[in-house]
PDB file of all heavy atoms in Angstrom:
ATOM      1  N   VAL A   1     -62.888  29.350  -9.461  1.00 98.00           N
ATOM      2  CA  VAL A   1     -63.168  30.576 -10.216  1.00 98.00           C
ATOM      3  C   VAL A   1     -63.438  30.339 -11.696  1.00 98.00           C
ATOM      4  O   VAL A   1     -63.905  31.242 -12.394  1.00 98.00           O
ATOM      5  CB  VAL A   1     -62.011  31.586 -10.073  1.00 98.00           C
ATOM      6  CG1 VAL A   1     -61.776  31.921  -8.608  1.00 98.00           C
ATOM      7  CG2 VAL A   1     -60.726  31.082 -10.724  1.00 98.00           C
ATOM      8  N   LEU A   2     -63.172  29.133 -12.215  1.00 98.00           N
ATOM      9  CA  LEU A   2     -63.316  28.897 -13.646  1.00 98.00           C
ATOM     10  C   LEU A   2     -64.789  28.792 -14.045  1.00 98.00           C
ATOM     11  O   LEU A   2     -65.549  28.038 -13.450  1.00 98.00           O
ATOM     12  CB  LEU A   2     -62.553  27.639 -14.055  1.00 98.00           C
ATOM     13  CG  LEU A   2     -62.421  27.400 -15.558  1.00 98.00           C
ATOM     14  CD1 LEU A   2     -61.065  26.805 -15.874  1.00 98.00           C
ATOM     15  CD2 LEU A   2     -63.519  26.485 -16.077  1.00 98.00           C
ATOM     16  N   ASP A   3     -65.164  29.541 -15.053  1.00 98.00           N
ATOM     17  CA  ASP A   3     -66.538  29.536 -15.588  1.00 98.00           C
ATOM     18  C   ASP A   3     -66.496  28.918 -16.987  1.00 98.00           C
ATOM     19  O   ASP A   3     -65.825  29.446 -17.879  1.00 98.00           O
ATOM     20  CB  ASP A   3     -67.069  30.974 -15.647  1.00 98.00           C
ATOM     21  CG  ASP A   3     -68.478  31.056 -16.204  1.00 98.00           C
ATOM     22  OD1 ASP A   3     -68.642  30.875 -17.427  1.00 98.00           O
ATOM     23  OD2 ASP A   3     -69.416  31.307 -15.425  1.00 98.00           O
ATOM     24  N   ARG A   4     -67.200  27.817 -17.194  1.00 98.00           N
ATOM     25  CA  ARG A   4     -67.094  27.087 -18.463  1.00 98.00           C
ATOM     26  C   ARG A   4     -67.631  27.882 -19.651  1.00 98.00           C
ATOM     27  O   ARG A   4     -67.080  27.804 -20.745  1.00 98.00           O
ATOM     28  CB  ARG A   4     -67.802  25.725 -18.361  1.00 98.00           C
ATOM     29  CG  ARG A   4     -67.062  24.731 -17.486  1.00 98.00           C
ATOM     30  CD  ARG A   4     -67.621  23.319 -17.607  1.00 98.00           C
ATOM     31  NE  ARG A   4     -66.818  22.403 -16.822  1.00 98.00           N
ATOM     32  CZ  ARG A   4     -67.091  22.063 -15.566  1.00 98.00           C
ATOM     33  NH1 ARG A   4     -68.164  22.564 -14.965  1.00 98.00           N
ATOM     34  NH2 ARG A   4     -66.296  21.244 -14.918  1.00 98.00           N
ATOM     35  N   ASP A   5     -68.706  28.622 -19.457  1.00 98.00           N
ATOM     36  CA  ASP A   5     -69.240  29.401 -20.569  1.00 98.00           C
ATOM     37  C   ASP A   5     -68.292  30.529 -20.943  1.00 98.00           C
ATOM     38  O   ASP A   5     -68.047  30.797 -22.128  1.00 98.00           O
ATOM     39  CB  ASP A   5     -70.624  29.952 -20.224  1.00 98.00           C
ATOM     40  CG  ASP A   5     -71.665  28.848 -20.091  1.00 98.00           C
ATOM     41  OD1 ASP A   5     -71.568  27.841 -20.825  1.00 98.00           O
ATOM     42  OD2 ASP A   5     -72.574  28.982 -19.244  1.00 98.00           O
ATOM     43  N   ALA A   6     -67.744  31.207 -19.941  1.00 98.00           N
ATOM     44  CA  ALA A   6     -66.778  32.273 -20.212  1.00 98.00           C
ATOM     45  C   ALA A   6     -65.520  31.704 -20.862  1.00 98.00           C
ATOM     46  O   ALA A   6     -64.934  32.329 -21.756  1.00 98.00           O
ATOM     47  CB  ALA A   6     -66.424  33.008 -18.919  1.00 98.00           C
ATOM     48  N   LEU A   7     -65.114  30.519 -20.435  1.00 98.00           N
ATOM     49  CA  LEU A   7     -63.932  29.892 -21.022  1.00 98.00           C
ATOM     50  C   LEU A   7     -64.179  29.534 -22.477  1.00 98.00           C
ATOM     51  O   LEU A   7     -63.307  29.738 -23.330  1.00 98.00           O
ATOM     52  CB  LEU A   7     -63.542  28.646 -20.222  1.00 98.00           C
ATOM     53  CG  LEU A   7     -62.343  27.863 -20.759  1.00 98.00           C
ATOM     54  CD1 LEU A   7     -61.088  28.734 -20.799  1.00 98.00           C
ATOM     55  CD2 LEU A   7     -62.095  26.613 -19.917  1.00 98.00           C
ATOM     56  N   ARG A   8     -65.342  28.995 -22.790  1.00 98.00           N
ATOM     57  CA  ARG A   8     -65.650  28.657 -24.184  1.00 98.00           C
ATOM     58  C   ARG A   8     -65.565  29.904 -25.062  1.00 98.00           C
ATOM     59  O   ARG A   8     -64.990  29.875 -26.155  1.00 98.00           O
ATOM     60  CB  ARG A   8     -67.039  28.022 -24.274  1.00 98.00           C
ATOM     61  CG  ARG A   8     -67.373  27.524 -25.675  1.00 98.00           C
ATOM     62  CD  ARG A   8     -68.722  26.828 -25.714  1.00 98.00           C
ATOM     63  NE  ARG A   8     -69.837  27.715 -25.459  1.00 98.00           N
ATOM     64  CZ  ARG A   8     -70.574  27.719 -24.351  1.00 98.00           C
ATOM     65  NH1 ARG A   8     -70.334  26.863 -23.378  1.00 98.00           N
ATOM     66  NH2 ARG A   8     -71.567  28.577 -24.200  1.00 98.00           N
ATOM     67  N   ASP A   9     -66.114  31.015 -24.580  1.00 98.00           N
ATOM     68  CA  ASP A   9     -66.049  32.268 -25.338  1.00 98.00           C
ATOM     69  C   ASP A   9     -64.601  32.733 -25.492  1.00 98.00           C
ATOM     70  O   ASP A   9     -64.202  33.227 -26.563  1.00 98.00           O
ATOM     71  CB  ASP A   9     -66.865  33.351 -24.641  1.00 98.00           C
ATOM     72  CG  ASP A   9     -68.371  33.090 -24.695  1.00 98.00           C
ATOM     73  OD1 ASP A   9     -68.799  32.271 -25.532  1.00 98.00           O
ATOM     74  OD2 ASP A   9     -69.100  33.705 -23.891  1.00 98.00           O
ATOM     75  N   ALA A  10     -63.815  32.573 -24.430  1.00 98.00           N
ATOM     76  CA  ALA A  10     -62.411  33.005 -24.474  1.00 98.00           C
ATOM     77  C   ALA A  10     -61.603  32.169 -25.458  1.00 98.00           C
ATOM     78  O   ALA A  10     -60.742  32.695 -26.181  1.00 98.00           O
ATOM     79  CB  ALA A  10     -61.803  32.922 -23.079  1.00 98.00           C
ATOM     80  N   ILE A  11     -61.874  30.869 -25.505  1.00 98.00           N
ATOM     81  CA  ILE A  11     -61.162  29.999 -26.441  1.00 98.00           C
ATOM     82  C   ILE A  11     -61.547  30.333 -27.880  1.00 98.00           C
ATOM     83  O   ILE A  11     -60.685  30.398 -28.771  1.00 98.00           O
ATOM     84  CB  ILE A  11     -61.439  28.517 -26.119  1.00 98.00           C
ATOM     85  CG1 ILE A  11     -60.852  28.149 -24.766  1.00 98.00           C
ATOM     86  CG2 ILE A  11     -60.875  27.617 -27.222  1.00 98.00           C
ATOM     87  CD1 ILE A  11     -59.357  28.358 -24.632  1.00 98.00           C
ATOM     88  N   ALA A  12     -62.812  30.576 -28.138  1.00 98.00           N
ATOM     89  CA  ALA A  12     -63.236  30.973 -29.481  1.00 98.00           C
ATOM     90  C   ALA A  12     -62.536  32.259 -29.900  1.00 98.00           C
ATOM     91  O   ALA A  12     -62.026  32.374 -31.030  1.00 98.00           O
ATOM     92  CB  ALA A  12     -64.758  31.151 -29.524  1.00 98.00           C
ATOM     93  N   ALA A  13     -62.475  33.232 -28.985  1.00 98.00           N
ATOM     94  CA  ALA A  13     -61.867  34.520 -29.305  1.00 98.00           C
ATOM     95  C   ALA A  13     -60.367  34.393 -29.562  1.00 98.00           C
ATOM     96  O   ALA A  13     -59.831  34.986 -30.500  1.00 98.00           O
ATOM     97  CB  ALA A  13     -62.129  35.511 -28.170  1.00 98.00           C
ATOM     98  N   VAL A  14     -59.672  33.614 -28.737  1.00 98.00           N
ATOM     99  CA  VAL A  14     -58.218  33.514 -28.918  1.00 98.00           C
ATOM    100  C   VAL A  14     -57.882  32.724 -30.177  1.00 98.00           C
ATOM    101  O   VAL A  14     -56.878  33.003 -30.850  1.00 98.00           O
ATOM    102  CB  VAL A  14     -57.535  32.901 -27.680  1.00 98.00           C
ATOM    103  CG1 VAL A  14     -57.654  31.370 -27.628  1.00 98.00           C
ATOM    104  CG2 VAL A  14     -56.055  33.292 -27.638  1.00 98.00           C
ATOM    105  N   MET A  15     -58.720  31.755 -30.545  1.00 98.00           N
ATOM    106  CA  MET A  15     -58.463  31.016 -31.776  1.00 98.00           C
ATOM    107  C   MET A  15     -58.674  31.893 -33.014  1.00 98.00           C
ATOM    108  O   MET A  15     -57.997  31.712 -34.031  1.00 98.00           O
ATOM    109  CB  MET A  15     -59.327  29.762 -31.837  1.00 98.00           C
ATOM    110  CG  MET A  15     -58.996  28.727 -30.760  1.00 98.00           C
ATOM    111  SD  MET A  15     -57.234  28.324 -30.647  1.00 98.00           S
ATOM    112  CE  MET A  15     -56.941  27.622 -32.261  1.00 98.00           C
ATOM    113  N   ILE A  16     -59.587  32.843 -32.935  1.00 98.00           N
ATOM    114  CA  ILE A  16     -59.732  33.820 -34.015  1.00 98.00           C
ATOM    115  C   ILE A  16     -58.453  34.640 -34.140  1.00 98.00           C
ATOM    116  O   ILE A  16     -57.965  34.903 -35.255  1.00 98.00           O
ATOM    117  CB  ILE A  16     -60.956  34.724 -33.764  1.00 98.00           C
ATOM    118  CG1 ILE A  16     -62.246  33.903 -33.903  1.00 98.00           C
ATOM    119  CG2 ILE A  16     -60.967  35.914 -34.725  1.00 98.00           C
ATOM    120  CD1 ILE A  16     -63.502  34.653 -33.487  1.00 98.00           C
ATOM    121  N   GLU A  17     -57.867  35.020 -33.008  1.00 98.00           N
ATOM    122  CA  GLU A  17     -56.602  35.751 -33.018  1.00 98.00           C
ATOM    123  C   GLU A  17     -55.482  34.912 -33.630  1.00 98.00           C
ATOM    124  O   GLU A  17     -54.656  35.404 -34.394  1.00 98.00           O
ATOM    125  CB  GLU A  17     -56.227  36.169 -31.592  1.00 98.00           C
ATOM    126  CG  GLU A  17     -57.137  37.201 -30.967  1.00 98.00           C
ATOM    127  CD  GLU A  17     -57.089  38.526 -31.702  1.00 98.00           C
ATOM    128  OE1 GLU A  17     -55.998  39.113 -31.786  1.00 98.00           O
ATOM    129  OE2 GLU A  17     -58.154  38.954 -32.198  1.00 98.00           O
ATOM    130  N   VAL A  18     -55.450  33.642 -33.294  1.00 98.00           N
ATOM    131  CA  VAL A  18     -54.427  32.741 -33.839  1.00 98.00           C
ATOM    132  C   VAL A  18     -54.541  32.657 -35.356  1.00 98.00           C
ATOM    133  O   VAL A  18     -53.548  32.798 -36.084  1.00 98.00           O
ATOM    134  CB  VAL A  18     -54.550  31.332 -33.210  1.00 98.00           C
ATOM    135  CG1 VAL A  18     -53.693  30.317 -33.957  1.00 98.00           C
ATOM    136  CG2 VAL A  18     -54.140  31.365 -31.735  1.00 98.00           C
ATOM    137  N   SER A  19     -55.740  32.419 -35.850  1.00 98.00           N
ATOM    138  CA  SER A  19     -55.928  32.272 -37.295  1.00 98.00           C
ATOM    139  C   SER A  19     -55.666  33.572 -38.047  1.00 98.00           C
ATOM    140  O   SER A  19     -55.317  33.548 -39.228  1.00 98.00           O
ATOM    141  CB  SER A  19     -57.338  31.765 -37.595  1.00 98.00           C
ATOM    142  OG  SER A  19     -57.481  30.417 -37.187  1.00 98.00           O
ATOM    143  N   ALA A  20     -55.814  34.707 -37.354  1.00 98.00           N
ATOM    144  CA  ALA A  20     -55.534  36.000 -37.970  1.00 98.00           C
ATOM    145  C   ALA A  20     -54.042  36.333 -37.946  1.00 98.00           C
ATOM    146  O   ALA A  20     -53.633  37.369 -38.481  1.00 98.00           O
ATOM    147  CB  ALA A  20     -56.332  37.095 -37.270  1.00 98.00           C
ATOM    148  N   GLY A  21     -53.236  35.471 -37.326  1.00 98.00           N
ATOM    149  CA  GLY A  21     -51.794  35.692 -37.279  1.00 98.00           C
ATOM    150  C   GLY A  21     -51.356  36.727 -36.272  1.00 98.00           C
ATOM    151  O   GLY A  21     -50.250  37.288 -36.388  1.00 98.00           O
ATOM    152  N   ARG A  22     -52.172  36.958 -35.260  1.00 98.00           N
ATOM    153  CA  ARG A  22     -51.863  38.002 -34.281  1.00 98.00           C
ATOM    154  C   ARG A  22     -51.351  37.455 -32.955  1.00 98.00           C
ATOM    155  O   ARG A  22     -51.364  38.159 -31.943  1.00 98.00           O
ATOM    156  CB  ARG A  22     -53.100  38.870 -34.051  1.00 98.00           C
ATOM    157  CG  ARG A  22     -53.546  39.658 -35.282  1.00 98.00           C
ATOM    158  CD  ARG A  22     -54.625  40.662 -34.935  1.00 98.00           C
ATOM    159  NE  ARG A  22     -55.906  40.036 -34.662  1.00 98.00           N
ATOM    160  CZ  ARG A  22     -56.896  39.931 -35.542  1.00 98.00           C
ATOM    161  NH1 ARG A  22     -56.730  40.372 -36.787  1.00 98.00           N
ATOM    162  NH2 ARG A  22     -58.056  39.371 -35.206  1.00 98.00           N
ATOM    163  N   VAL A  23     -50.886  36.204 -32.940  1.00 98.00           N
ATOM    164  CA  VAL A  23     -50.393  35.566 -31.717  1.00 98.00           C
ATOM    165  C   VAL A  23     -48.979  35.049 -31.946  1.00 98.00           C
ATOM    166  O   VAL A  23     -48.693  34.464 -32.992  1.00 98.00           O
ATOM    167  CB  VAL A  23     -51.310  34.403 -31.291  1.00 98.00           C
ATOM    168  CG1 VAL A  23     -50.739  33.651 -30.099  1.00 98.00           C
ATOM    169  CG2 VAL A  23     -52.711  34.924 -30.965  1.00 98.00           C
ATOM    170  N   SER A  24     -48.099  35.273 -30.978  1.00 98.00           N
ATOM    171  CA  SER A  24     -46.765  34.673 -31.020  1.00 98.00           C
ATOM    172  C   SER A  24     -46.885  33.267 -30.443  1.00 98.00           C
ATOM    173  O   SER A  24     -47.169  33.102 -29.257  1.00 98.00           O
ATOM    174  CB  SER A  24     -45.771  35.497 -30.198  1.00 98.00           C
ATOM    175  OG  SER A  24     -44.498  34.865 -30.170  1.00 98.00           O
ATOM    176  N   LEU A  25     -46.683  32.261 -31.316  1.00 97.00           N
ATOM    177  CA  LEU A  25     -47.007  30.885 -30.942  1.00 97.00           C
ATOM    178  C   LEU A  25     -45.923  29.927 -31.438  1.00 97.00           C
ATOM    179  O   LEU A  25     -46.083  29.283 -32.480  1.00 97.00           O
ATOM    180  CB  LEU A  25     -48.364  30.511 -31.528  1.00 97.00           C
ATOM    181  CG  LEU A  25     -48.984  29.183 -31.125  1.00 97.00           C
ATOM    182  CD1 LEU A  25     -49.320  29.172 -29.637  1.00 97.00           C
ATOM    183  CD2 LEU A  25     -50.251  28.913 -31.954  1.00 97.00           C
ATOM    184  N   PRO A  26     -44.804  29.824 -30.709  1.00 96.00           N
ATOM    185  CA  PRO A  26     -43.779  28.861 -31.125  1.00 96.00           C
ATOM    186  C   PRO A  26     -44.273  27.431 -30.980  1.00 96.00           C
ATOM    187  O   PRO A  26     -45.209  27.150 -30.233  1.00 96.00           O
ATOM    188  CB  PRO A  26     -42.613  29.124 -30.158  1.00 96.00           C
ATOM    189  CG  PRO A  26     -43.033  30.217 -29.257  1.00 96.00           C
ATOM    190  CD  PRO A  26     -44.463  30.539 -29.492  1.00 96.00           C
ATOM    191  N   SER A  27     -43.640  26.531 -31.701  1.00 93.00           N
ATOM    192  CA  SER A  27     -44.002  25.116 -31.598  1.00 93.00           C
ATOM    193  C   SER A  27     -43.649  24.567 -30.227  1.00 93.00           C
ATOM    194  O   SER A  27     -42.686  25.005 -29.582  1.00 93.00           O
ATOM    195  CB  SER A  27     -43.276  24.297 -32.665  1.00 93.00           C
ATOM    196  OG  SER A  27     -43.691  24.669 -33.954  1.00 93.00           O
ATOM    197  N   ARG A  28     -44.425  23.605 -29.780  1.00 94.00           N
ATOM    198  CA  ARG A  28     -44.142  22.902 -28.535  1.00 94.00           C
ATOM    199  C   ARG A  28     -42.779  22.215 -28.638  1.00 94.00           C
ATOM    200  O   ARG A  28     -42.429  21.641 -29.672  1.00 94.00           O
ATOM    201  CB  ARG A  28     -45.245  21.877 -28.292  1.00 94.00           C
ATOM    202  CG  ARG A  28     -45.055  20.963 -27.125  1.00 94.00           C
ATOM    203  CD  ARG A  28     -46.323  20.195 -26.808  1.00 94.00           C
ATOM    204  NE  ARG A  28     -47.072  19.785 -27.977  1.00 94.00           N
ATOM    205  CZ  ARG A  28     -48.407  19.823 -28.088  1.00 94.00           C
ATOM    206  NH1 ARG A  28     -49.132  20.241 -27.088  1.00 94.00           N
ATOM    207  NH2 ARG A  28     -49.012  19.435 -29.187  1.00 94.00           N
ATOM    208  N   VAL A  29     -42.001  22.282 -27.562  1.00 95.00           N
ATOM    209  CA  VAL A  29     -40.724  21.562 -27.503  1.00 95.00           C
ATOM    210  C   VAL A  29     -40.789  20.576 -26.353  1.00 95.00           C
ATOM    211  O   VAL A  29     -41.482  20.811 -25.358  1.00 95.00           O
ATOM    212  CB  VAL A  29     -39.520  22.512 -27.333  1.00 95.00           C
ATOM    213  CG1 VAL A  29     -39.389  23.418 -28.552  1.00 95.00           C
ATOM    214  CG2 VAL A  29     -39.654  23.345 -26.062  1.00 95.00           C
ATOM    215  N   ALA A  30     -40.079  19.465 -26.492  1.00 94.00           N
ATOM    216  CA  ALA A  30     -40.187  18.428 -25.468  1.00 94.00           C
ATOM    217  C   ALA A  30     -38.869  17.690 -25.297  1.00 94.00           C
ATOM    218  O   ALA A  30     -38.120  17.487 -26.256  1.00 94.00           O
ATOM    219  CB  ALA A  30     -41.286  17.442 -25.834  1.00 94.00           C
ATOM    220  N   ALA A  31     -38.610  17.310 -24.056  1.00 95.00           N
ATOM    221  CA  ALA A  31     -37.512  16.401 -23.736  1.00 95.00           C
ATOM    222  C   ALA A  31     -38.119  15.059 -23.366  1.00 95.00           C
ATOM    223  O   ALA A  31     -39.093  15.002 -22.611  1.00 95.00           O
ATOM    224  CB  ALA A  31     -36.692  16.950 -22.564  1.00 95.00           C
ATOM    225  N   GLU A  32     -37.551  13.970 -23.907  1.00 93.00           N
ATOM    226  CA  GLU A  32     -38.141  12.645 -23.712  1.00 93.00           C
ATOM    227  C   GLU A  32     -37.139  11.674 -23.109  1.00 93.00           C
ATOM    228  O   GLU A  32     -35.929  11.806 -23.309  1.00 93.00           O
ATOM    229  CB  GLU A  32     -38.620  12.071 -25.054  1.00 93.00           C
ATOM    230  CG  GLU A  32     -39.713  12.852 -25.725  1.00 93.00           C
ATOM    231  CD  GLU A  32     -40.184  12.184 -27.006  1.00 93.00           C
ATOM    232  OE1 GLU A  32     -39.689  11.063 -27.300  1.00 93.00           O
ATOM    233  OE2 GLU A  32     -41.029  12.750 -27.705  1.00 93.00           O
ATOM    234  N   ARG A  33     -37.650  10.710 -22.364  1.00 93.00           N
ATOM    235  CA  ARG A  33     -36.870   9.537 -21.978  1.00 93.00           C
ATOM    236  C   ARG A  33     -37.601   8.330 -22.534  1.00 93.00           C
ATOM    237  O   ARG A  33     -38.822   8.335 -22.678  1.00 93.00           O
ATOM    238  CB  ARG A  33     -36.688   9.435 -20.469  1.00 93.00           C
ATOM    239  CG  ARG A  33     -37.953   9.214 -19.665  1.00 93.00           C
ATOM    240  CD  ARG A  33     -37.645   8.874 -18.205  1.00 93.00           C
ATOM    241  NE  ARG A  33     -37.004   7.573 -18.085  1.00 93.00           N
ATOM    242  CZ  ARG A  33     -36.479   7.121 -16.951  1.00 93.00           C
ATOM    243  NH1 ARG A  33     -36.485   7.877 -15.863  1.00 93.00           N
ATOM    244  NH2 ARG A  33     -35.927   5.925 -16.902  1.00 93.00           N
ATOM    245  N   SER A  34     -36.838   7.289 -22.843  1.00 89.00           N
ATOM    246  CA  SER A  34     -37.440   6.161 -23.565  1.00 89.00           C
ATOM    247  C   SER A  34     -37.988   5.075 -22.646  1.00 89.00           C
ATOM    248  O   SER A  34     -39.065   4.535 -22.890  1.00 89.00           O
ATOM    249  CB  SER A  34     -36.429   5.554 -24.546  1.00 89.00           C
ATOM    250  OG  SER A  34     -35.238   5.194 -23.881  1.00 89.00           O
ATOM    251  N   GLU A  35     -37.260   4.689 -21.600  1.00 89.00           N
ATOM    252  CA  GLU A  35     -37.676   3.575 -20.758  1.00 89.00           C
ATOM    253  C   GLU A  35     -37.596   3.934 -19.282  1.00 89.00           C
ATOM    254  O   GLU A  35     -36.502   4.117 -18.756  1.00 89.00           O
ATOM    255  CB  GLU A  35     -36.797   2.347 -21.018  1.00 89.00           C
ATOM    256  CG  GLU A  35     -37.104   1.625 -22.316  1.00 89.00           C
ATOM    257  CD  GLU A  35     -38.494   1.022 -22.346  1.00 89.00           C
ATOM    258  OE1 GLU A  35     -39.001   0.669 -21.264  1.00 89.00           O
ATOM    259  OE2 GLU A  35     -39.083   0.920 -23.420  1.00 89.00           O
ATOM    260  N   PRO A  36     -38.756   4.018 -18.602  1.00 90.00           N
ATOM    261  CA  PRO A  36     -40.093   4.059 -19.184  1.00 90.00           C
ATOM    262  C   PRO A  36     -40.309   5.380 -19.900  1.00 90.00           C
ATOM    263  O   PRO A  36     -39.654   6.373 -19.581  1.00 90.00           O
ATOM    264  CB  PRO A  36     -41.014   3.927 -17.974  1.00 90.00           C
ATOM    265  CG  PRO A  36     -40.229   4.545 -16.862  1.00 90.00           C
ATOM    266  CD  PRO A  36     -38.792   4.170 -17.124  1.00 90.00           C
ATOM    267  N   PHE A  37     -41.209   5.378 -20.857  1.00 89.00           N
ATOM    268  CA  PHE A  37     -41.433   6.583 -21.640  1.00 89.00           C
ATOM    269  C   PHE A  37     -41.935   7.715 -20.762  1.00 89.00           C
ATOM    270  O   PHE A  37     -42.806   7.543 -19.922  1.00 89.00           O
ATOM    271  CB  PHE A  37     -42.447   6.326 -22.759  1.00 89.00           C
ATOM    272  CG  PHE A  37     -42.802   7.579 -23.531  1.00 89.00           C
ATOM    273  CD1 PHE A  37     -41.958   8.048 -24.508  1.00 89.00           C
ATOM    274  CD2 PHE A  37     -43.969   8.278 -23.245  1.00 89.00           C
ATOM    275  CE1 PHE A  37     -42.262   9.209 -25.213  1.00 89.00           C
ATOM    276  CE2 PHE A  37     -44.283   9.434 -23.944  1.00 89.00           C
ATOM    277  CZ  PHE A  37     -43.434   9.898 -24.927  1.00 89.00           C
ATOM    278  N   GLY A  38     -41.367   8.893 -20.975  1.00 92.00           N
ATOM    279  CA  GLY A  38     -41.830  10.095 -20.288  1.00 92.00           C
ATOM    280  C   GLY A  38     -41.428  11.314 -21.089  1.00 92.00           C
ATOM    281  O   GLY A  38     -40.422  11.297 -21.801  1.00 92.00           O
ATOM    282  N   VAL A  39     -42.207  12.367 -20.984  1.00 93.00           N
ATOM    283  CA  VAL A  39     -41.918  13.582 -21.737  1.00 93.00           C
ATOM    284  C   VAL A  39     -42.221  14.808 -20.888  1.00 93.00           C
ATOM    285  O   VAL A  39     -43.209  14.844 -20.145  1.00 93.00           O
ATOM    286  CB  VAL A  39     -42.729  13.626 -23.062  1.00 93.00           C
ATOM    287  CG1 VAL A  39     -44.226  13.558 -22.783  1.00 93.00           C
ATOM    288  CG2 VAL A  39     -42.395  14.855 -23.874  1.00 93.00           C
ATOM    289  N   MET A  40     -41.325  15.789 -20.956  1.00 96.00           N
ATOM    290  CA  MET A  40     -41.568  17.105 -20.370  1.00 96.00           C
ATOM    291  C   MET A  40     -41.593  18.103 -21.523  1.00 96.00           C
ATOM    292  O   MET A  40     -40.619  18.243 -22.257  1.00 96.00           O
ATOM    293  CB  MET A  40     -40.483  17.487 -19.365  1.00 96.00           C
ATOM    294  CG  MET A  40     -40.600  18.943 -18.879  1.00 96.00           C
ATOM    295  SD  MET A  40     -39.314  19.412 -17.684  1.00 96.00           S
ATOM    296  CE  MET A  40     -40.085  18.821 -16.169  1.00 96.00           C
ATOM    297  N   ALA A  41     -42.725  18.777 -21.692  1.00 96.00           N
ATOM    298  CA  ALA A  41     -42.901  19.696 -22.812  1.00 96.00           C
ATOM    299  C   ALA A  41     -43.121  21.115 -22.310  1.00 96.00           C
ATOM    300  O   ALA A  41     -43.710  21.334 -21.239  1.00 96.00           O
ATOM    301  CB  ALA A  41     -44.088  19.267 -23.674  1.00 96.00           C
ATOM    302  N   ALA A  42     -42.655  22.078 -23.101  1.00 98.00           N
ATOM    303  CA  ALA A  42     -42.846  23.496 -22.793  1.00 98.00           C
ATOM    304  C   ALA A  42     -43.667  24.135 -23.903  1.00 98.00           C
ATOM    305  O   ALA A  42     -43.406  23.904 -25.091  1.00 98.00           O
ATOM    306  CB  ALA A  42     -41.508  24.205 -22.662  1.00 98.00           C
ATOM    307  N   MET A  43     -44.661  24.942 -23.504  1.00 98.00           N
ATOM    308  CA  MET A  43     -45.592  25.541 -24.466  1.00 98.00           C
ATOM    309  C   MET A  43     -45.773  27.028 -24.135  1.00 98.00           C
ATOM    310  O   MET A  43     -46.642  27.392 -23.335  1.00 98.00           O
ATOM    311  CB  MET A  43     -46.933  24.806 -24.418  1.00 98.00           C
ATOM    312  CG  MET A  43     -46.839  23.328 -24.737  1.00 98.00           C
ATOM    313  SD  MET A  43     -48.373  22.415 -24.398  1.00 98.00           S
ATOM    314  CE  MET A  43     -49.535  23.229 -25.500  1.00 98.00           C
ATOM    315  N   PRO A  44     -44.987  27.921 -24.756  1.00 98.00           N
ATOM    316  CA  PRO A  44     -45.133  29.358 -24.518  1.00 98.00           C
ATOM    317  C   PRO A  44     -45.989  30.040 -25.582  1.00 98.00           C
ATOM    318  O   PRO A  44     -46.097  29.553 -26.715  1.00 98.00           O
ATOM    319  CB  PRO A  44     -43.685  29.855 -24.604  1.00 98.00           C
ATOM    320  CG  PRO A  44     -43.065  28.940 -25.627  1.00 98.00           C
ATOM    321  CD  PRO A  44     -43.770  27.601 -25.510  1.00 98.00           C
ATOM    322  N   ALA A  45     -46.588  31.161 -25.237  1.00 98.00           N
ATOM    323  CA  ALA A  45     -47.333  31.957 -26.211  1.00 98.00           C
ATOM    324  C   ALA A  45     -47.545  33.365 -25.656  1.00 98.00           C
ATOM    325  O   ALA A  45     -47.563  33.580 -24.439  1.00 98.00           O
ATOM    326  CB  ALA A  45     -48.682  31.325 -26.546  1.00 98.00           C
ATOM    327  N   TYR A  46     -47.713  34.298 -26.587  1.00 98.00           N
ATOM    328  CA  TYR A  46     -48.036  35.689 -26.245  1.00 98.00           C
ATOM    329  C   TYR A  46     -49.242  36.102 -27.072  1.00 98.00           C
ATOM    330  O   TYR A  46     -49.241  35.977 -28.294  1.00 98.00           O
ATOM    331  CB  TYR A  46     -46.843  36.600 -26.530  1.00 98.00           C
ATOM    332  CG  TYR A  46     -47.160  38.085 -26.525  1.00 98.00           C
ATOM    333  CD1 TYR A  46     -47.898  38.659 -25.489  1.00 98.00           C
ATOM    334  CD2 TYR A  46     -46.722  38.907 -27.563  1.00 98.00           C
ATOM    335  CE1 TYR A  46     -48.183  40.025 -25.484  1.00 98.00           C
ATOM    336  CE2 TYR A  46     -47.002  40.272 -27.568  1.00 98.00           C
ATOM    337  CZ  TYR A  46     -47.734  40.823 -26.529  1.00 98.00           C
ATOM    338  OH  TYR A  46     -48.027  42.164 -26.524  1.00 98.00           O
TER     339      TYR A  46
END
């Protein structure tokens, strides 16, 4: 179902919202292990 042209337009539009300060966008958080290296990260937004 993914349409690349529609997605490009959607990304442009949402980035305008981000720069305008209209998005709730906490920083990415991650849990890491060292050996072997691995990370699980959570990325929420509204």
Side-chain angles (χ1 to χ4, degrees):
V1 302
L2 190 143
D3 179 287
R4 289 191 176 93
D5 293 326
L7 178 60
R8 185 177 66 251
D9 291 343
I11 294 301
V14 80
M15 295 310 297
I16 292 172
E17 293 296 300
V18 169
S19 290
R22 295 189 287 262
V23 175
S24 176
L25 187 65
S27 295
R28 174 168 38 221
V29 296
E32 297 183 4
R33 65 170 292 171
S34 55
E35 285 296 331
F37 175 80
V39 59
M40 172 180 275
M43 301 170 61
Y46 166 48

